[in-house]
Amino acid sequence: MGMKGKVALGAVVGIVVIGVVSANSGDNGDGGGSGGSDKGSSASAERESGSKKDKDTGTEEVAEKKVAFAGDGDFEVGSDVKPGTYRTTGNTDGMCYWERAKDASGELDSLLANDNVTGASYVTVKSTDKLFKSSDCNDWEAVDPKAKDSPASTMAGDGGMFRVGADIAPGTYKSTGNTDDSCYWERDKDAEHGIDSIIANNNVNGTAVVTIDASDAYFKTSGCQDWKKTG
């Protein structure tokens, strides 16, 4: 079965988790930091372009993207790709697909986690994984899940996955004008993309309000109107 157009079987879009998972576990839990929010800036715009403004001159600096591996292919963990957390950004057509697999059989039960991506995605590849597959994605870069940055106070509603404390500041966010229950959000304790990774999630029609805790590691948003921090 070809990878292009493949449905992400592990995706939870359209499913509301009834049981809430504790936010105080997970290897990649990021303390986040509550200060330093960049009001008026968009997490999607800055992170996906890899650019930011110099605080002294106000001019835009383009950060060099350190590519770990290309966005297409099957990569053996340990030789082609090292265990760690990786990010792809700027995926615009919804055709980006990735997969973590426990063996190279290509069978369904070898699948550990997968997703279809619009915008950005973070994925933690574990040392016990055998293969990482990527199709139609932009290049992947290695990231330090514990590193802090200048988090934004707004984010694109279809921007994908944001790192709390680096891409976005913790706090309460609102998205208005959502229709047809197409807005989906998810709070995550890590980037492994398992059911146990999810702290809370929801499908929303109309106005969506969610509080992202400083102990959350990531926030995922798909099909929503843009989010703005309100508290």
Side-chain angles (χ1 to χ4, degrees):
M1 179 166 58
M3 283 167 42
K4 293 184 178 180
K6 204 170 183 180
V7 175
L9 300 177
V12 293
V13 174
I15 302 174
V16 177
V17 175
I18 302 301
V20 177
V21 181
S22 171
N24 296 320
S25 59
D27 294 339
N28 292 326
D30 190 348
S34 60
S37 63
D38 185 7
K39 294 184 178 179
S41 63
S42 167
S44 176
E46 287 193 4
R47 305 305 168 191
E48 294 184 12
S49 68
S51 65
K52 59 182 180 180
K53 287 187 178 181
D54 184 276
K55 293 181 179 179
D56 296 325
T57 66
T59 59
E60 188 174 87
E61 296 178 336
V62 178
E64 181 181 355
K65 185 176 182 179
K66 297 180 180 179
V67 175
F69 54 95
D72 286 287
D74 294 352
F75 304 93
E76 288 190 281
V77 178
S79 56
D80 299 327
V81 57
K82 295 179 180 180
T85 300
Y86 298 88
R87 174 180 65 179
T88 179
T89 60
N91 299 285
T92 58
D93 57 7
M95 293 299 291
C96 169
Y97 172 83
W98 63 261
E99 178 181 309
R100 292 173 50 222
K102 65 181 180 181
D103 58 46
S105 68
E107 297 179 3
L108 185 61
D109 62 1
S110 70
L111 182 68
L112 295 171
N114 65 351
D115 203 4
N116 293 107
V117 178
T118 296
S121 183
Y122 289 84
V123 182
T124 296
V125 179
K126 303 182 70 175
S127 59
T128 51
D129 296 356
K130 176 65 176 180
L131 284 179
F132 182 78
K133 301 183 179 184
S134 177
S135 176
D136 284 332
C137 299
N138 288 335
D139 292 340
W140 294 85
E141 60 178 328
V143 297
D144 179 359
K146 295 182 179 180
K148 304 298 189 293
D149 209 326
S150 299
S153 58
T154 62
M155 56 183 151
D158 207 29
M161 198 169 183
F162 299 93
R163 188 154 55 101
V164 180
D167 300 330
I168 56 169
T172 299
Y173 287 79
K174 180 182 289 187
S175 170
T176 60
N178 299 292
T179 58
D180 302 324
D181 290 320
S182 59
C183 172
Y184 173 81
W185 62 258
E186 179 180 304
R187 295 169 52 215
D188 293 301
K189 67 179 183 180
D190 57 43
E192 295 179 17
H193 294 266
I195 292 297
D196 289 342
S197 299
I198 302 171
I199 299 168
N201 66 350
N202 205 3
N203 291 103
V204 180
N205 190 48
T207 299
V209 179
V210 59
T211 296
I212 301 170
D213 195 82
S215 63
D216 296 355
Y218 298 92
F219 181 76
K220 184 187 289 187
T221 173
S222 174
C224 301
Q225 296 299 312
D226 291 349
W227 296 86
K228 184 177 181 180
K229 190 171 181 289
T230 60

